[in-house]
Amino acid sequence: MRLITAVAGMTLTLASIPEASAQQATIEGNIHDSLGRPIAGASIVLEASDGKPLASTTGDTAGHFILKGIVPGTYAIIATKSDFETATAIVSAGATGTAKTELVLQSHAALDMAMVAKKLDEARNTLSPQTGTNAYAIDSKAIDDLPQGSNTAFNQVMLQAPGVAEDSAASGLRHIRGEHANVQYRINGILLPEGISGFGPVLDSSIVDRMQLLDGALPAQYGYRTAGIVDIQTKSGAFDPGGRVGLTSGTNGTWQPSAQYGGNAGALNYFVTGDFLSSEQGIEGPTSSMRPLHDDTQQGKGFGYFSYLLNPTNRLNVVLGSSVSEYQVPNNPGQQPSYDLTGASVVPSAQLNENQREENHYATVALQGTNGDFDYQLAPYARYSLLHFTPDAVGDLQYNGVASNVERTDVALGLQGDGSYRVNESHTLRSGFVTQHEKANADNSSSVFPATLNADGSYTQTSNAPQTIVDDNSKTGMLYGVYLQDEWKLTPKLTMNYGARFDAVNAYVDETQLSPRLGFVYEATSATTLHAGYARYFTPPPMELVAPGSVAKFANTTNQPAVGTDDPVRSERSNSFDVGVSHKLTDKVTLGWDNYYKQVHDLLDEGQFGQALVLTPFNYAQGRIYGSEVTASYTGKTVSAYANFAVSSAMGKDIISSQESFTDPSELAYISNHWVHLDHDQTYTASAGASYQILRDTRVGLDGVLGSGLRDGFANTGHLPLYAAVNAVATQHLDVGGDKGVDLRFTVINLFNSDYELRNGTGIGVGAPQWGPRIGFLAGLSKAF
């Protein structure tokens, strides 16, 4: 301030002293802070060269001021405002025209964009407690260390977390703690409504700054999808401005360009990313072949995060995302047709032409802020989802007796609100709500043969001339939920979070439930933390997948259900218990152990029953799921490593909905009286990885997964063989092409070329065999700027 005053004084001393005259000048200006936002009510003083005040005024609500009737000359403009540093500007006012100036007042509270963004991020995080839950975190550094880096498919990133089992794309991609789907995704604390199941994950790993998988006994804030909460904090231009472009190419015709860029301008902070993938291996093939037949894919994804700072304590966040994917459904050569089609020669099974298109588009707008002890977020959101399966009109009739053109669309609109109030040092109250309106359409046009249904579920074709049956339906539904909870610090080491939520669903069924929650965290020592919790859950069926058709329309055709019953799918209700411990063995080694048990009524599961690779939900009357997980991680200067091992059991009894989807009445009869393994139940699951920086700019790494095999056979009484798949990577940074250089990456997928089968086409709700990918090689180049 002294330096500014001295400079101002010297300037005024050297300036010409204005002569008294009748001429008058005008000085006009604006006052704003370092983020470009206007400051209202600032005091303005006009001083002569000797420091004598000559005039004064006050800035208006837009930070604007005018001083009129000034003798032409050179003056100092002094602006002051409580909680801001004083600002000075030197202005030369002439006899004609208006002299203009801008004054920037620096806040005592440090209005740096990154600091304000961090403060608001911390306030947003206080809205989501984790007391009593099991939490596993993966950050952008851990993703970059994976063999494919930020190009790693999102479901493959999740496989590195404990208790996550791999599955085929057609059967749900992956399962958390023995459950099918039932996963909730949140982006920056905002619920992302579900889309129609399909092959490609909607989310892109490159958007992740940090993500957590929360499971076990969840606080009352979390409802509906509760097998796991995938909570994603996106990258932000405020913390890591700049961009990156890259290109990856390799075996199976893989071609994947990508780009991302982030930055800030005044009060605006932004991060955008996009990538495109073209490959000759889109989903798992039905054989162990190195190159599946008819398996091309093109996938495009885009994402944008925009944050505008309204003031130091409030901001507006916008998230936009889009994913459009085209898939060929791979062929299984050597199959024999089962039906005769008039006037058509047999299409070899290796030449069938089935295709599927998927679209997912989502948007959220969140007003978020903090005001002392109160934090809040209010967010409307929307999502549009489409799946369109086109059959081989001739071949599907010859092999399956039905060729279905299936199109499903789903539009979800919702509003979510969350608030947190720190009552005192011991109590923090949290409350919130969510309401969602959803419209689902299912359009199905099927070509079928007239036929007689046999007692064993087979068909006897009565005509070789097909007929077309249209079976369209739509449904509008609503979800409502409210919650209230208190985080109570009982002692300096013991915290309890207790509360409840009330949920209602009005769709194919109308149901409600009050769900109590209770969780504890105990910091036994500075290195050891224990947690335990109980949660009552209410899980409505995924409305976008429920598409009840007309059984009567397909009577006496090759699409007539073997079972005539089709009870509506119900909401799952369960009691979940979880207890675990984490221990920091050293500054570099962390260990964890967690155990869970879930008792279920109307257990929800999903199966792939028709030609379209879209899943259909159904209920078991009873269910029980339990297991244990062990985790270990090491973080050093040049080496990082992790390992997870899980054992679990997931079983159900008596299928009580969507019975017409099942083709074997004897299997249904068996399940009605016996506990059976769920089709995705895998007894042992493990994941591990390591990254080693061998030179300053050179790093190598490995990761891998192991599974004891998913279920197969009649009523899931068998299981597939144990399998393991390992991937490897080497990266090199080169100081060329500018200050940030160039990064090279070489990746080997399935390093030991294991031929492992994820599905063999048998089991409850399993439509076709699928094999994991064989060995593949990828080379990538990326440039930061």
Side-chain angles (χ1 to χ4, degrees):
M1 181 63 193
R2 292 179 178 177
L3 178 61
I4 295 175
T5 304
V7 173
M10 292 175 62
T11 304
L12 291 173
T13 301
L14 295 173
S16 298
I17 304 296
E19 297 181 359
S21 72
Q23 293 178 322
Q24 294 184 340
T26 299
I27 299 175
E28 182 178 0
N30 293 294
I31 309 163
H32 55 82
D33 64 20
S34 58
L35 296 179
R37 297 166 304 185
I39 297 176
S43 297
I44 309 299
V45 176
L46 179 74
E47 291 184 355
S49 59
D50 58 1
K52 180 180 179 180
L54 300 178
S56 65
T57 187
T58 300
D60 63 15
T61 56
H64 182 259
F65 70 90
I66 297 179
L67 293 168
K68 296 182 178 180
I70 308 300
V71 176
T74 301
Y75 301 93
I77 304 291
I78 313 297
T80 59
K81 172 77 174 179
S82 177
D83 295 326
F84 289 83
E85 297 286 350
T86 300
T88 301
I90 306 303
V91 180
S92 295
T96 60
T98 299
K100 295 185 177 181
T101 186
E102 299 282 333
L103 292 100
V104 178
L105 301 188
Q106 300 290 335
S107 171
H108 292 158
L111 284 172
D112 177 76
M113 167 62 84
M115 294 182 65
V116 174
K118 182 178 180 181
K119 177 183 177 182
L120 287 170
D121 284 349
E122 291 171 351
R124 181 178 63 201
N125 293 340
T126 66
L127 299 172
S128 304
Q130 298 178 14
T131 309
T133 66
N134 183 52
Y136 188 85
I138 301 174
D139 60 15
S140 58
K141 172 63 167 56
I143 292 175
D144 286 341
D145 285 344
L146 294 175
Q148 294 188 67
S150 60
N151 285 336
T152 307
F154 195 81
N155 64 289
Q156 295 295 321
V157 173
M158 287 188 61
L159 286 176
Q160 310 311 311
V164 182
E166 185 174 13
D167 202 344
S168 67
S171 299
L173 291 174
R174 39 91 196 107
H175 307 283
I176 298 174
R177 291 192 165 187
E179 298 199 45
H180 189 107
N182 193 22
V183 179
Q184 181 180 143
Y185 293 90
R186 290 184 172 227
I187 295 180
N188 295 329
I190 304 301
L191 178 69
L192 181 63
E194 292 177 292
I196 301 169
S197 297
F199 304 132
V202 177
L203 300 173
D204 192 332
S205 301
S206 66
I207 74 173
V208 176
D209 179 60
R210 187 174 187 270
M211 61 173 279
Q212 281 191 306
L213 172 60
L214 307 177
D215 49 27
L218 302 170
Q221 180 173 9
Y222 302 106
Y224 306 123
R225 303 290 168 249
T226 52
I229 308 297
V230 180
D231 190 7
I232 301 168
Q233 304 298 318
T234 64
K235 293 178 180 177
S236 167
F239 303 111
D240 188 21
R244 178 176 292 272
V245 293
L247 176 64
T248 298
S249 184
T251 53
N252 291 316
T254 300
W255 181 262
Q256 187 173 12
S258 61
Q260 64 183 53
Y261 186 75
N264 60 78
L268 178 65
N269 164 34
Y270 56 91
F271 174 78
V272 295
T273 182
D275 75 80
F276 176 79
L277 170 65
S278 177
S279 175
E280 296 171 356
Q281 187 171 19
I283 63 174
E284 300 89 355
T287 71
S288 61
S289 170
M290 293 285 292
R291 167 70 173 90
L293 297 173
H294 192 260
D295 198 16
D296 291 359
T297 184
Q298 287 80 42
Q299 304 171 31
K301 294 184 179 71
F303 175 85
Y305 168 69
F306 307 90
S307 177
Y308 184 79
L309 203 60
L310 302 173
N311 54 53
T313 58
N314 296 274
R315 66 180 173 184
L316 194 66
N317 299 323
V318 177
V319 171
L320 304 172
S322 185
S323 171
V324 179
S325 302
E326 299 276 0
Y327 298 92
Q328 293 179 335
V329 178
N331 295 329
N332 193 355
Q335 304 302 301
Q336 297 301 313
S338 300
Y339 300 92
D340 177 53
L341 176 62
T342 298
S345 57
V346 173
V347 178
S349 62
Q351 298 178 17
L352 294 176
N353 186 25
E354 297 176 333
N355 298 274
Q356 189 155 303
R357 177 182 176 87
E358 297 177 15
E359 293 185 24
N360 284 281
H361 312 280
Y362 58 92
T364 68
V365 178
L367 178 63
Q368 183 250 326
T370 180
N371 183 12
D373 292 323
F374 177 68
D375 303 321
Y376 75 94
Q377 185 161 261
L378 183 66
Y381 60 82
R383 177 166 180 168
Y384 171 80
S385 182
L386 172 143
L387 181 149
H388 187 197
F389 173 84
T390 54
D392 186 302
V394 174
D396 282 3
L397 278 169
Q398 293 173 335
Y399 288 92
N400 304 314
V402 55
S404 297
N405 190 306
V406 177
E407 181 174 288
R408 294 191 179 185
T409 59
D410 184 88
V411 177
L413 302 173
L415 178 66
Q416 175 188 338
D418 298 284
S420 172
Y421 177 63
R422 288 171 288 281
V423 180
N424 51 45
E425 292 183 358
S426 298
H427 292 274
T428 300
L429 290 177
R430 295 181 175 92
S431 184
F433 70 91
V434 64
T435 178
Q436 180 173 302
H437 175 276
E438 191 168 0
K439 177 67 177 295
N441 293 300
D443 298 334
N444 188 354
S445 177
S446 300
S447 296
V448 295
F449 291 115
T452 300
L453 177 64
N454 303 316
D456 62 357
S458 64
Y459 300 93
T460 299
Q461 186 177 357
T462 59
S463 171
N464 57 9
Q467 61 188 86
T468 299
I469 297 175
V470 176
D471 189 21
D472 299 342
N473 62 79
S474 64
K475 184 66 176 179
T476 299
M478 292 293 298
L479 285 176
Y480 310 92
V482 294
Y483 71 89
L484 176 65
Q485 59 191 351
D486 175 30
E487 186 175 291
W488 184 2
K489 199 169 186 62
L490 297 167
T491 73
K493 292 187 175 183
L494 179 62
T495 301
M496 176 177 70
N497 192 86
Y498 64 98
R501 63 176 296 124
F502 178 80
D503 296 296
V505 57
N506 304 119
Y508 290 101
V509 292
D510 295 339
E511 297 171 298
T512 62
Q513 180 172 292
L514 179 66
S515 304
R517 308 287 175 87
L518 179 64
F520 294 90
V521 170
Y522 178 62
E523 297 179 8
T525 69
S526 59
T528 304
T529 302
L530 296 91
H531 69 265
Y534 161 77
R536 174 74 171 161
Y537 290 139
F538 174 74
T539 306
M543 183 177 157
E544 71 280 0
L545 300 183
V546 180
S550 174
V551 174
K553 285 185 177 182
F554 293 96
N556 301 316
T557 73
T558 46
N559 201 35
Q560 178 180 346
V563 178
T565 307
D566 189 26
D567 291 323
V569 184
R570 310 170 189 177
S571 297
E572 176 182 295
R573 305 168 190 268
S574 62
N575 296 295
S576 182
F577 304 86
D578 186 275
V579 60
V581 59
S582 65
H583 177 68
K584 200 167 183 61
L585 188 64
T586 70
D587 291 340
K588 297 180 180 180
V589 179
T590 301
L591 306 176
W593 180 33
D594 199 76
N595 305 274
Y596 59 91
Y597 176 79
K598 189 173 184 180
Q599 178 269 329
V600 192
H601 181 64
D602 294 337
L603 182 148
L604 276 169
D605 199 359
E606 296 172 11
Q608 191 252 309
F609 298 104
Q611 289 173 281
L613 299 182
V614 58
L615 301 174
T616 299
F618 61 93
N619 296 102
Y620 290 91
Q622 302 176 63
R624 59 191 186 207
I625 302 172
Y626 55 89
S628 184
E629 300 166 355
V630 178
T631 66
S633 64
Y634 175 87
T635 304
K637 185 175 181 180
T638 59
V639 177
S640 62
Y642 65 91
N644 307 305
F645 178 79
V647 56
S648 70
S649 174
M651 304 190 76
K653 182 180 181 182
D654 191 13
I655 293 174
I656 57 172
S657 65
S658 301
Q659 297 94 331
E660 60 91 14
S661 298
F662 296 84
T663 60
D664 188 351
S666 64
E667 188 175 50
L668 274 181
Y670 178 86
I671 298 169
S672 67
N673 295 305
H674 295 81
W675 284 93
V676 298
H677 293 274
L678 306 188
D679 69 281
H680 52 267
D681 183 23
Q682 182 163 264
T683 305
Y684 303 111
T685 302
S687 61
S691 179
Y692 176 45
Q693 186 174 327
I694 56 177
L695 297 172
R696 183 176 69 89
D697 293 325
T698 306
R699 181 174 286 272
V700 295
L702 294 169
D703 79 354
V705 295
L706 177 146
S708 59
L710 301 175
R711 310 304 300 192
D712 70 346
F714 177 84
N716 294 339
T717 50
H719 68 81
L720 293 167
L722 180 144
Y723 69 90
V726 176
N727 307 313
V729 64
T731 63
Q732 177 67 52
H733 178 78
L734 302 176
D735 291 323
V736 297
D739 293 341
K740 295 188 177 181
V742 172
D743 293 294
L744 306 178
R745 180 183 296 265
F746 180 72
T747 303
V748 183
I749 305 298
N750 194 353
L751 178 64
F752 302 110
N753 197 25
S754 302
D755 55 343
Y756 60 99
E757 194 170 18
L758 295 168
R759 295 289 190 177
N760 69 358
T762 67
I764 301 170
V766 177
Q770 272 110 20
W771 292 73
R774 300 294 296 274
I775 191 169
F777 304 93
L778 299 171
L781 181 149
S782 63
K783 166 65 179 170
F785 57 91

